[in-house]
């Protein structure tokens, strides 16, 4: 959300210049301590429509997760067996047993099409392809929601991305604001590193408010001399208030959660997954997403794990699946249960997907390669009609057989769930030209809404 | 009285990514682990405490072995072989040669020679002291997945996705034998004491013991099992295997009788290793864990 300012040199307190500038940038505009405290006092839980977007960086294997092909030839069907779910007639992977018992709360799309074929979160964040963007660029879903809906309450942030900075930047993309404007960029507290830090400051550090504000005062003086921060957008003021508010800190600090809830979600690696190039396989982020929604976020996105499983020597598709599936099974199950237990399941939509599917034929190294022809997605909550499968693939999982579902139809559905009619609403791009949120040929999925 | 063997888990060692190899030091006091997180972990065998981390590989580390003189050798997917000074936990030297992923390696018992195999289908032998290349063997028709080297470093065996085991003579740089006993990839190889025989484990569920010249001495096939690793106890009495379902098995070598099986890991067991005195076994897996087991024989 903040610009790439500063050189990365360290202040004497060990805080990087860049970090200080980032925090300081939030403080510009004369936000005083009384203002901050006033913002901090603005709390109070209120349910609102929200979306949690879980991006499975790299493209999950549709035929090994939710569209198994036990009758396919051995070079295609893979190592896993399908298991029955709590919805008669629907089967999913044996390594997703918890979700199998909650399939009545899932809508499984087996025929997702329209993939850009790129290793990037972009399409899963915006609904659009990278090339031929309108002036200013396509805004992420969260930025559109921020623009159209604003904050839930004064002092809350509409759009939060928990994705960290990753070696493959396109996988850790928090979502660009595009022509929605910089004011609607995501608040991305984990961008400095794959740790639960806020622009390099730990939650614990932030709790030392006095020290922080002294630092900011120092920075303000420095900035005043340099003029570096003149004209920063007003949302930075608000964001700083949130950054320093106990509400946001509490939301991000999952250790404050009931230990029984934490246990249900399970833990995960702090480090970025794979080879530092993808989001961490960290179930605490799923819990943090729910807590952020309760703290006022309308859209929370996160990159979860590394699903680009080309095979040995980096582990076969199936070794990686046996690694990721159980943790994903536990985490998503906990999120679904948690949302239901807290009465949020009608308001909060959850979408889980990656940038494409994977090749039907298992390669010589036990991997599956990129397959933009078809992919899968899981949807839950948001008042949608769940407990169903939408679409199907052919016998070998190569292409849609019934009811192809485009990425943009999913986005149209999510906009619908947020109370936005994509057939009516446009946003102006940087030239002032109105742009539909999704291509007008796409509408919310009638099976779900 | 029939012998009863048990594996009792003592310590758990963890990495940020999968662990591809585990090795004991010569005195059995330390362990080293090679991980896909690009690091080598150093551990106390007594209590499982981490003693250090060696960083420098640019990709996953596939093999690690302690060397004489308080040194350690690691090999990785970045195609490099690295020699480390343990006291300083610092790199001493490195060399490379493979043209694709270096997937497996082995050091002879004298710690003088290293054999490596790769996805370039090549088997390479280097002198560790001088890093000089001693031999390069081509012939496998697919990725090399396992290698072993005799204690004097003069003979090498390699196993491949092409299902063959090949025997090589380092001194003459000539192939000696091609063995076709396995029907799927050969995933693990290990020499017995005195190089009197070697064991191979395959993705076909086959565990085979052959003479140094490749004559099959004994074999067993476990249905619906894909072995990934094999190790030999120092006295040659026991074999250990790891498989893709996370199981660790202990076998009596003479009979190939399965003595015990443990559901050890949640994922593929990439490596098993006996301590020099044979009282402990270590296993390492794709589940980011390595376990140290007591081998209890009653």
């Amino acid at each position: 959300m903040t610009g790439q300012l500063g050189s990365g040199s360290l202040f004497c307190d060990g805080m990087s210049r860049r970090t200080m500038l980032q925090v300081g940038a939030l403080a510009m505009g004369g936000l005083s301590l009384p203002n901050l405290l006033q913002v901090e006092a603005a709390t109070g839980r209120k349910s609102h429509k929200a979306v949690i977007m879980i991006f499975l960086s790299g493209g999950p294997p549709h035929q090994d997760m939710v569209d198994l092909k036990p009758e396919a030839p051995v070079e295609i069907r893979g190592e896993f067996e399908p298991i029955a779910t709590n919805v008669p007639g629907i089967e999913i992977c044996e390594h997703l047993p918890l979700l199998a018992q909650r399939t009545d709360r899932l809508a499984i799309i087996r025929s997702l099409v329209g993939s850009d074929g790129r290793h990037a979160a972009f399409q899963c964040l915006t609904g659009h392809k990278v090339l031929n963007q309108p002036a200013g660029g396509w805004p992420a879903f969260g930025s559109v929601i921020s623009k159209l809906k604003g904050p839930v309450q004064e002092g809350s942030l509409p759009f939060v991305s928990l994705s960290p900075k990753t070696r493959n930047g396109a996988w850790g993309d928090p979502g660009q604001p595009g022509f929605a404007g910089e004011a609607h960029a995501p608040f991305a507290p984990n961008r400095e590193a794959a740790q639960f830090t806020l622009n390099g400051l730990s939650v614990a550090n932030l709790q030392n408010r006095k020290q922080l504000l002294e630092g900011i005062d120092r920075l303000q003086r420095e900035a005043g001399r340099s003029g570096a921060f003149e004209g920063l957008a007003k949302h930075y003021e608000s964001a700083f208030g949130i950054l320093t508010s106990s509400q946001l800190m509490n939301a991000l600090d999952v250790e404050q959660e009931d230990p029984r809830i934490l246990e249900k979600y399970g833990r995960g690696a702090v480090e970025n997954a794979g080879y530092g190039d993808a989001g961490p396989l960290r179930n605490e982020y799923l819990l943090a997403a729910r807590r952020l929604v309760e703290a006022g976020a309308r859209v929370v996105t996160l990159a979860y794990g590394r699903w680009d499983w080309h095979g040995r020597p980096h582990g076969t598709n199936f070794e990686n699946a046996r690694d990721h599936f159980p943790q994903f099974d536990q985490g998503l199950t906990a999120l679904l249960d948690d949302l239901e237990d807290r009465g949020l399941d009608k308001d909060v939509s959850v979408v889980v997907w990656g940038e494409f599917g994977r090749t039907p034929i298992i390669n010589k190294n036990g991997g599956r390669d990129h397959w933009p022809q078809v992919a899968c997605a899981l949807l839950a909550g948001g008042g949608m009609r769940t407990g169903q499968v939408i679409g199907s693939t052919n016998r070998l999982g190569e292409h849609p057989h019934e009811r192809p579902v485009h990425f943009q139809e999913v986005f149209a559905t999510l906009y619908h769930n947020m109370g936005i009619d994509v057939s009516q609403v446009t946003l102006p791009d940087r030239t002032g030209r109105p742009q539909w949120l999704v291509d007008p040929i796409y509408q919310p999925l009638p099976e779900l809404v | 009285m029939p012998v009863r063997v048990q594996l009792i888990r003592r310590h758990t060692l963890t990495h940020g990514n999968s662990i591809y190899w585990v090795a004991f030091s010569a005195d059995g006091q330390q362990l080293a682990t090679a991980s896909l997180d690009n690091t080598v972990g150093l551990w106390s065998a007594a209590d499982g405490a981490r003693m250090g981390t060696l960083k420098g590989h640019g990709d996953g580390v596939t093999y690690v072995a302690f060397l004489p003189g308080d040194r350690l050798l690691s090999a990785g997917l970045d195609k490099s072989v690295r020699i480390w000074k343990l006291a300083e936990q610092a790199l001493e030297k490195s060399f490379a040669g493979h043209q694709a992923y270096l997937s497996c390696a082995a050091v002879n018992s004298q710690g003088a020679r290293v054999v490596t195999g790769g996805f370039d289908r090549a088997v390479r032998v280097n002198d560790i002291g001088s890093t000089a290349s001693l031999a390069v063997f081509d012939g496998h028709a697919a990725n090399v997945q396992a290698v072993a080297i005799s204690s004097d470093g003069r003979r090498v065996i390699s196993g491949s996705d092409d299902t063959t085991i090949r025997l090589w003579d380092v001194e003459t740089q000539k192939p000696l034998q091609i063995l076709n006993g396995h029907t799927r990839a050969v995933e693990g190889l290990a020499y017995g004491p005195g190089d009197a025989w070697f064991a191979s484990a395959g993705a076909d569920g086959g565990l085979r013991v052959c003479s140094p010249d490749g004559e099959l001495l004994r074999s067993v096939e476990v249905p619906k099992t894909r072995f990934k690793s094999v190790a030999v106890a120092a006295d040659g009495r026991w074999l250990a295997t790891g498989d893709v379902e996370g199981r660790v098995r202990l076998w009596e070598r003479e009979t190939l009788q399965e003595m015990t099986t443990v559901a050890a890991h949640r994922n593929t067991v990439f490596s098993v290793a006996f301590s020099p005195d044979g009282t402990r076994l270590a296993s390492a897996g794709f589940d980011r864990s390595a376990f140290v087991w007591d081998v209890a024989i009653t």
Side-chain angles (χ1 to χ4, degrees):
Chain A
M1 135 184 171
T2 54
Q4 299 288 309
L5 304 173
S7 63
S9 60
L10 291 180
F11 282 88
C12 56
D13 58 2
M15 202 178 288
S16 75
R17 176 180 172 80
R18 179 177 166 194
T19 296
M20 277 305 297
L21 291 175
Q22 286 177 315
V23 173
L26 303 173
M28 293 305 99
L31 201 62
S32 65
L33 178 59
N35 294 136
L36 290 172
L37 297 176
Q38 190 176 13
V39 171
E40 183 179 17
T43 57
R45 186 178 153 192
K46 186 174 72 173
S47 182
H48 57 277
K49 301 292 183 185
V51 173
I52 296 172
M53 309 180 91
I54 301 168
F55 174 60
L56 308 184
S57 330
H62 56 285
Q63 61 278 76
D64 298 312
M65 281 184 87
V66 295
D67 189 16
L68 281 81
K69 301 293 183 184
E71 306 304 322
V74 64
E75 68 271 19
I76 288 174
R77 68 170 175 257
E79 298 181 4
F80 303 149
E81 299 293 332
I83 56 171
T85 67
N86 68 349
V87 178
I90 299 179
E91 295 181 327
I92 63 174
C93 176
E94 60 180 319
H95 293 295
L96 302 171
L98 300 174
L99 288 172
Q101 291 309 308
R102 288 155 182 83
T103 301
D104 58 327
R105 287 185 251 161
L106 292 172
I108 299 171
I109 298 172
R110 287 179 172 164
S111 52
L112 188 67
V113 297
S115 167
D116 200 5
R118 286 173 191 273
H119 257 329
F122 187 87
Q123 192 170 20
C124 291
L125 292 169
T126 67
H128 298 276
K129 295 186 176 181
V130 170
L131 295 179
N132 301 316
Q133 296 186 51
W138 290 114
F141 177 82
S143 296
V144 174
I145 297 301
S146 172
K147 175 96 173 178
L148 295 176
K149 295 284 188 181
V152 166
Q153 61 197 23
E154 187 181 354
S156 69
L157 280 169
F159 181 16
V160 179
S161 171
L162 293 172
S163 295
K165 197 172 199 173
T166 57
R167 193 175 291 170
N168 177 353
W171 277 343
D173 180 5
Q176 65 177 27
F179 58 69
E182 287 296 323
H184 303 287
F187 173 62
N190 297 318
R191 293 294 289 165
E192 282 290 316
Q195 298 173 19
F196 237 151
T197 58
L198 305 173
N199 287 326
L201 296 173
S202 71
V203 170
N205 285 343
L206 278 173
Q207 284 169 339
N208 188 344
R209 194 72 51 82
K210 184 171 180 296
Q211 181 190 9
L212 178 69
L213 290 174
E214 285 172 355
I216 288 164
D217 284 344
R218 193 168 68 241
L219 188 71
Q220 280 179 316
R221 289 194 297 274
E222 180 180 309
R225 286 195 299 274
S226 69
F229 301 119
E230 289 174 7
L232 281 173
K234 188 177 188 308
H235 83 287
Y236 286 158
E237 301 170 19
S238 169
F240 180 72
I242 295 159
L243 182 67
T244 56
S245 80
S246 60
Q247 194 178 3
L248 181 78
M249 286 192 295
N250 290 344
L252 289 168
D253 185 5
V254 297
E255 298 303 329
Q256 295 184 23
E257 189 67 39
D258 182 335
R260 289 168 298 182
I261 301 290
L262 257 172
E263 187 179 349
K264 286 182 180 175
Y265 277 87
R267 300 287 185 165
V270 176
E271 301 84 10
N272 284 353
Y275 314 97
D277 53 358
L281 193 68
R282 191 165 196 213
N283 285 9
E284 290 98 321
Y285 283 177
L286 301 173
L287 172 55
R290 186 271 287 164
R291 291 170 64 85
L292 284 164
V293 168
E294 287 190 320
R298 295 189 189 276
V299 178
V300 180
T301 66
L302 60 110
Y304 181 87
R306 188 186 195 280
W307 303 71
D308 189 28
W309 302 333
H310 291 283
R312 296 174 303 170
H314 294 100
T316 67
N317 175 80
F318 306 97
E319 286 168 339
N320 280 290
R322 281 195 291 267
D323 180 69
H324 274 46
F325 282 7
Q327 190 163 332
F328 169 72
D329 188 44
Q330 179 181 3
L332 184 59
T333 292
L335 179 61
L336 297 182
D337 288 354
D338 203 10
L339 292 174
E340 184 174 87
D341 292 346
R342 301 173 87 87
L344 299 172
D345 55 312
K346 298 291 185 290
D347 286 330
V348 181
S349 304
V350 178
V351 58
V352 184
W353 54 3
E355 59 266 53
F356 38 60
R358 305 207 74 87
T359 45
I361 295 179
I362 300 162
N363 67 28
K364 64 183 172 66
N365 289 320
R368 294 191 193 270
D369 302 313
H370 304 172
W371 194 255
Q373 287 86 331
V374 72
C376 64
L378 302 177
L379 292 166
M384 290 180 283
R385 289 200 293 269
T386 54
Q388 61 171 319
V389 167
I390 301 175
S392 66
T393 56
N394 68 329
R395 187 175 66 90
L396 305 180
E398 298 166 300
H399 52 74
H401 174 61
E402 299 170 303
R403 180 62 171 104
V405 174
H406 196 279
F407 275 83
Q408 293 209 355
E409 290 179 272
V410 176
F411 273 92
T413 306
L414 296 173
Y415 281 120
H416 168 89
N417 294 352
M418 293 297 293
I420 295 168
D421 182 350
V422 293
S423 68
Q424 300 294 323
V425 177
T426 60
L427 282 180
D429 66 17
R430 286 284 167 81
T431 66
R433 182 180 176 186
Q435 296 286 348
W436 297 105
L437 305 181
V438 300
D439 190 304
I441 65 170
Y442 298 115
Q443 295 298 316
L445 289 162
E447 296 92 335
L448 294 179
V449 301
Chain B
M1 283 286 288
V3 174
R4 185 161 174 261
V5 181
Q6 278 183 293
L7 292 177
I8 303 160
R9 196 162 91 186
R10 288 298 181 206
H11 308 305
T12 301
L13 324 175
T14 59
H15 271 270
N17 209 329
S18 310
I19 305 178
Y20 272 14
W21 202 264
V22 61
F24 280 94
S25 60
D27 62 6
Q29 299 298 305
Q30 288 187 69
L31 286 150
T33 45
S35 171
L36 265 186
D37 69 7
N38 299 5
T39 71
V40 172
L42 300 171
W43 313 83
S44 162
D47 58 9
R50 186 184 276 265
M51 300 168 65
T53 303
L54 304 179
K55 297 181 179 177
H57 277 287
D59 202 339
V61 189
T62 52
Y63 177 78
V64 65
F66 288 91
L67 298 176
D70 200 28
R71 293 178 305 149
L72 180 139
L73 178 146
S74 62
L77 299 175
D78 62 2
K79 306 167 204 162
S80 74
V81 176
R82 292 166 188 249
I83 315 297
W84 307 81
K85 292 180 283 189
L86 281 176
E88 298 108 284
Q89 297 191 5
L91 183 68
E92 178 182 312
K93 58 191 172 190
S94 67
F95 55 93
H98 284 281
Q99 301 301 307
Y101 292 125
L102 190 168
S103 51
C104 53
V107 171
N108 75 326
S109 58
Q110 298 169 9
R113 291 183 175 183
V114 59
V115 57
T116 55
F119 276 29
D120 56 1
R121 306 175 181 183
V123 176
R124 306 180 71 93
V125 183
N126 285 75
D127 180 87
I128 293 173
S130 68
T131 75
S133 175
L134 302 177
V136 180
F137 299 120
D138 293 310
H140 278 296
N143 302 334
V144 180
Q145 295 289 3
V147 287
I149 184 167
S150 63
S151 52
D152 63 5
R154 291 168 177 267
R155 278 210 180 181
V156 159
I157 47 180
S158 56
S160 165
D161 282 348
D162 68 11
T163 76
T164 68
I165 294 171
R166 291 174 185 244
L167 280 57
W168 313 90
D169 187 313
V170 177
E171 303 309 304
T172 64
Q173 303 196 26
K174 300 287 187 191
L176 296 171
Q177 288 278 350
I178 300 175
L179 310 181
N180 291 298
H182 286 284
T183 57
R184 294 186 68 181
V186 180
E187 302 280 9
L189 288 168
Y191 268 110
D195 308 324
W197 45 268
F198 67 84
S200 64
D204 56 1
L207 175 63
R208 300 165 68 85
V209 177
C210 295
S211 76
D213 294 322
E215 179 190 355
L216 181 64
L217 303 176
R218 194 171 291 277
S219 70
V220 65
E221 192 161 320
V222 183
K224 297 182 179 175
T225 293
R226 285 177 291 154
F227 290 122
K228 186 66 185 174
S229 45
V230 66
V232 177
D235 63 4
R237 184 178 179 189
W238 310 107
L239 302 178
T241 55
D243 70 24
V244 300
E245 300 293 340
R247 289 180 291 254
V248 172
R249 288 182 172 88
L250 220 61
W251 308 79
E252 187 178 57
R253 192 265 306 172
E254 188 67 35
T255 60
L256 286 189
Q257 181 185 350
E258 187 176 325
M259 304 301 291
T260 190
T261 300
V262 179
H265 289 264
R266 289 179 287 108
N267 214 326
T268 300
V269 183
F270 270 76
S271 175
V272 281
F274 284 97
S275 63
D277 65 4
T279 62
R280 283 163 296 164
L281 180 77
S283 60
F286 202 79
D287 61 0
R288 307 158 197 232
S289 299
F291 300 125
V292 182
W293 310 81
D294 282 346
V295 181
I297 303 170
T298 52

